[in-house]
Amino acid sequence: MVTSANQVSKEKTSMKVSILDLKKQYQFIKSEVDKSVKNVIDNQNFILGEDVSAFEAETAAYCGTKYGVGLASGTDALILALKALGIGTGDEVITSPFTFFATAEAISIVGAKPIFVDIDPQTYNINPALIEKAITSKTKAVIPVHLYGQCADMDPILSIARKHKLKVIEDAAQAIGATYKGRKAGSMGDIGCLSFFPSKNLGAFGDAGMVVTNDKKVADRIRMLRVHGSAQRYIHSEIGMNSRLDNLQAAVLRVKLRYLDRWLEARRKNAAYYNEKLKDLPVVCPYVPEYNVHTYHLYVIRLKNRMEELSRYLNSSGIEARTYYPVPLHLQECYRNLGYRKGDLKESEKASEQTLSFAVYPELDKAEMNYIVEKIREFLRDNR
Ligand SMILES: *Cc1c(COP(=O)(O)O)cnc(C)c1O
């Protein structure tokens, strides 16, 4: 007899559900990936080999852009995007304070100053209505972050940018494959930055990243910057860095890219399942505006009070649950010199206190999801 997932979860009083289990994904594609990796090893072609150029072309096509330039990480993608657009010392760049640190770090690394603009409390993405007030004569660019796997509201951002002659760099590290009004994440601004950090929706076996763009000049410049500012061997026209996408990583990623849409669909299905199961509870499920197709890099719920307690409760029940991100960037120690204070960007601060995420990865099974839902239900019942 086939036991339903529901029964299984009811029988089990405890389970372990980590936020991500990459071993399941690897088992599914093992033979193909192993073959591709072996091919690179057999050929001993590790730097800027065939898999890199093929993966660049395939990813650019997937994102709907003309060019892709493979880099060592998503952070480097942001740094080199800024450099390629000539942004540096004395410049200001507007971005969200509710993102992974690398977004702002890249701005600081090139010598520019991050200017934080608060988020929309429903989507957790930068609020376009607040951008114009933050623009000064020093503002050179905006970096909208497509947080958790869904795009920021790009049309107003792009029109503000056009009006004030600002560049737009999309931080699409969490959102490859997401669409906004049918357009792919990373293809709408001047440059899109992707990360293939192992836990991202398209993850390598180590660090890796890419910029995608329709601008040939920008692509060529980043291609040069990633090899020490050199277009011709031992001739250096500017100061660059060493930031190439490894051929081994590209070989892995080429295999995985072929499964990406299927995996994103599975994430959406899991998210829909949670939405359905949580709908009668006093938690706020992810909000997806009708113009967006979400890719659920993270499934994030919101609870006005006692989120920390819920987090502890889930973790002590074997469910890995985390807040992304617990300290908004304007309140980070290293940015004290920027002069922000608690209360300055209220929506980001609230979101950092009221949100929590747990497993939504494609290979998750119903029993695991039911277990998570049950524990949330239990907590809310016992703590009313
Ligand atoms: C992961 C991530 C990055 C950085 O990517 P790495 O490949 O880890 O360097 C940048 N921005 C956001 C929003 C991210 O989630």
Side-chain angles (χ1 to χ4, degrees), residues 7 123 202 273:
Q7 275 171 296
T123 62
L202 177 61
Y273 189 77

Side-chain angles (χ1 to χ4, degrees), residues 236-252:
H236 303 270
S237 48
E238 62 179 311
I239 309 290
M241 55 204 268
N242 176 353
S243 181
R244 298 164 294 232
L245 170 65
D246 270 344
N247 206 41
L248 269 172
Q249 301 301 350
V252 171

Side-chain angles (χ1 to χ4, degrees), residues 37-288:
V37 167
K38 184 168 186 304
N39 183 51
V40 175
I41 295 172
D42 287 343
N43 291 319
Q44 292 288 301
N45 194 6
F46 298 118
I47 304 297
L48 298 179
E50 272 170 27
D51 286 301
V52 171
S53 42
F55 180 61
E56 287 173 342
E58 288 156 5
T59 306
Y62 179 85
C63 292
T65 61
K66 288 189 187 145
Y67 311 99
V69 185
L71 302 167
S73 71
T75 306
D76 281 2
L78 289 161
I79 294 170
L80 292 178
L82 288 159
K83 275 186 189 274
L85 296 174
I87 293 159
T89 309
D91 297 334
E92 292 179 356
V93 178
I94 290 171
T95 194
S96 166
F98 197 54
T99 173
F100 178 59
F101 184 65
T103 316
E105 184 182 35
I107 297 169
S108 302
I109 282 179
V110 302
K113 181 178 173 187
I115 302 294
F116 297 115
V117 165
D118 212 356
I119 55 167
D120 172 310
Q122 285 192 287
T123 62
Y124 307 108
N125 281 321
I126 193 166
N127 184 344
L130 305 175
I131 292 178
E132 228 160 356
K133 273 183 286 192
I135 295 173
T136 71
S137 58
K138 293 177 181 169
T139 311
K140 290 285 152 51
V142 186
I143 307 186
V145 181
H146 304 320
L147 201 72
Y148 302 149
Q150 85 166 330
C151 291
D153 189 3
M154 288 301 290
D155 276 347
I157 295 171
L158 292 166
S159 94
I160 293 164
R162 253 191 312 274
K163 182 172 152 199
H164 296 272
K165 295 191 166 50
L166 308 178
K167 300 291 186 186
V168 176
I169 298 170
E170 297 173 67
D171 183 340
Q174 300 185 3
I176 186 168
T179 61
Y180 171 84
K181 301 184 183 175
R183 289 174 278 166
K184 283 272 175 74
S187 71
M188 295 172 271
D190 295 278
I191 305 180
C193 298
L194 305 173
S195 166
F196 309 115
F197 184 80
S199 67
K200 299 288 158 81
N201 287 1
L202 177 61
F205 287 179
D207 279 306
M210 188 177 289
V211 293
V212 290
T213 182
N214 286 313
D215 186 331
K216 185 170 189 307
K217 277 208 190 90
V218 161
D220 287 344
R221 189 157 179 206
I222 294 175
R223 211 165 266 133
M224 183 180 77
L225 285 168
R226 75 175 169 182
V227 280
H228 310 285
S230 162
Q232 193 189 335
R233 199 180 294 250
Y234 306 129
I235 306 299
H236 303 270
S237 48
E238 62 179 311
I239 309 290
M241 55 204 268
N242 176 353
S243 181
R244 298 164 294 232
L245 170 65
D246 270 344
N247 206 41
L248 269 172
Q249 301 301 350
V252 171
L253 289 164
R254 286 187 74 192
V255 173
K256 288 197 177 191
L257 180 60
R258 297 199 282 271
Y259 293 94
L260 181 61
D261 279 337
R262 200 178 310 182
W263 290 334
L264 298 183
E265 201 49 51
R267 283 175 181 273
R268 278 190 284 271
K269 247 179 102 177
N270 292 346
Y273 189 77
Y274 282 136
N275 290 344
E276 178 60 30
K277 295 281 173 183
L278 297 172
K279 72 170 187 241
D280 59 327
L281 296 176
V283 293
V284 181
C285 291
Y287 169 74
V288 187

Side-chain angles (χ1 to χ4, degrees), residues 327-364:
V327 182
L329 303 188
H330 67 290
L331 300 179
Q332 293 285 345
E333 170 86 36
C334 64
Y335 281 136
R336 200 179 285 173
N337 64 318
L338 295 178
Y340 291 96
R341 255 176 271 154
K342 200 163 165 67
D344 284 350
L345 302 164
K346 287 200 175 61
E347 294 302 342
S348 302
E349 293 166 24
K350 269 196 260 175
S352 70
E353 288 162 8
Q354 300 178 349
T355 54
L356 192 68
S357 57
F358 39 79
V360 70
Y361 64 88
E363 299 80 11
L364 203 62

